[in-house]
Amino acid sequence: MAQQRGRVVLVTGAQQGIGRAMAIAFAAAGYDVAVNWLDDARAADAVAEAVRAQGRRAALLRGDVSATAEAAALVARTIAELGRLDVLVNNAGIFPRVPFLEMDEAEWDRVIAVNLRGSVFCAQAAARAMVAAGTPGCIINLASRALSGAPLGVHYSASKAGIAGATRAMALALAPHRIRANAIAPGLTDTAQPRHGHSEEEIRAMAAAIPLGRIGRPGDIAGLAVFLASDAASWITGQTYHINGGSLMP
């Protein structure tokens, strides 16, 4: 795949896991990277150093995407520090497990605020900047295999199903401006997230049940994101890509 030198990507929630892998993969593809983080400065610094080690610029941007003003500020700071914005990856998300009969309104509101509202308003801010600059762009939203249902995550499943629907609507709204929007729905992936509420033995059992026989790697997801942002995907918009080793085939 051709190098995309001169382009800039903002990755939210990039301090760890899939976000970290995406930031590094985009750097390897020639992008300068705005690394959004929230609560682990040391981990974020390490991601920025990994980006710079590949000869690309990195901007470290602390911010909570659930606050609409902060979401807009992340886009503005990306442009101020790196000069432009070509790609937004809405990766930031939370998945606090809770039985449905015990879930309260505050837990619901927090998950929707981070996962769905945060993604929508980050995308809005990014699209406004792209339109103002008169440049084409790409928005990649992170959905999840759990959009098909997670018994300990009614709030999470709702947020990720909302991401899929919002992505289709964004794609239609932004197509006249040459801005594409797609979503990626990862399955079980080797990050910290599945370890909240699951033992290593349980994770191994879930991995064994996947048709391709293993848990996903963050790099599996990152590779698809880089492709969707590239010129090779210039006629792809409004799609949700399920990447899960065959565990869900919608």
Side-chain angles (χ1 to χ4, degrees):
M1 191 178 299
Q3 287 270 307
Q4 307 295 325
R5 293 189 181 277
R7 295 187 183 179
V8 172
V9 60
L10 165 60
V11 183
T12 69
Q15 68 189 35
Q16 64 182 355
I18 292 172
R20 177 184 186 277
M22 286 181 170
I24 295 170
F26 272 101
Y31 289 78
D32 294 328
V33 184
V35 177
N36 165 241
W37 64 282
L38 180 62
D39 56 10
D40 190 338
R42 181 175 296 181
D45 284 339
V47 176
E49 285 305 308
V51 168
R52 294 175 184 131
Q54 303 199 56
R56 308 313 306 165
R57 295 181 297 161
L60 278 166
L61 307 179
R62 187 175 186 273
D64 180 354
V65 300
S66 70
T68 303
E70 291 192 38
L74 289 175
V75 170
R77 290 166 59 198
T78 297
I79 295 169
E81 295 195 31
L82 297 177
R84 58 187 291 160
L85 178 62
D86 301 280
V87 180
L88 166 69
V89 180
N90 274 316
N91 170 75
I94 58 173
F95 186 179
R97 273 71 169 177
V98 60
F100 176 54
L101 297 180
E102 299 173 15
M103 185 181 68
D104 62 31
E105 185 177 1
E107 289 167 322
W108 168 272
D109 287 347
R110 179 60 180 159
V111 171
I112 297 299
V114 174
N115 296 2
L116 182 54
R117 191 178 74 205
S119 293
V120 167
F121 283 98
C122 279
Q124 183 191 66
R128 284 174 172 171
M130 293 167 184
V131 170
T135 57
C138 176
I139 295 167
I140 300 171
N141 299 317
L142 267 289
S144 169
R145 187 197 185 287
L147 61 81
S148 66
L152 293 179
V154 170
H155 46 7
Y156 184 78
S157 292
S159 72
K160 294 303 185 177
I163 286 290
T167 298
R168 291 190 290 270
M170 286 179 200
L172 292 171
L174 297 174
H177 302 287
R178 299 179 298 151
I179 299 170
R180 298 181 296 109
N182 292 291
I184 300 174
L188 183 68
T189 306
D190 191 9
T191 65
Q193 191 200 76
R195 290 176 170 81
H196 293 292
H198 294 108
S199 67
E200 290 298 318
E201 183 178 353
E202 289 171 328
I203 290 173
R204 285 193 294 271
M206 289 187 288
I210 294 172
L212 287 182
R214 67 169 175 86
I215 191 172
R217 305 182 185 103
D220 296 326
I221 317 304
L224 178 55
V226 172
F227 166 72
L228 288 173
S230 74
D231 292 341
S234 63
W235 210 48
I236 299 175
T237 196
Q239 307 303 309
T240 295
Y241 286 87
H242 292 266
I243 179 167
N244 53 48
S247 64
L248 176 68
M249 301 182 186

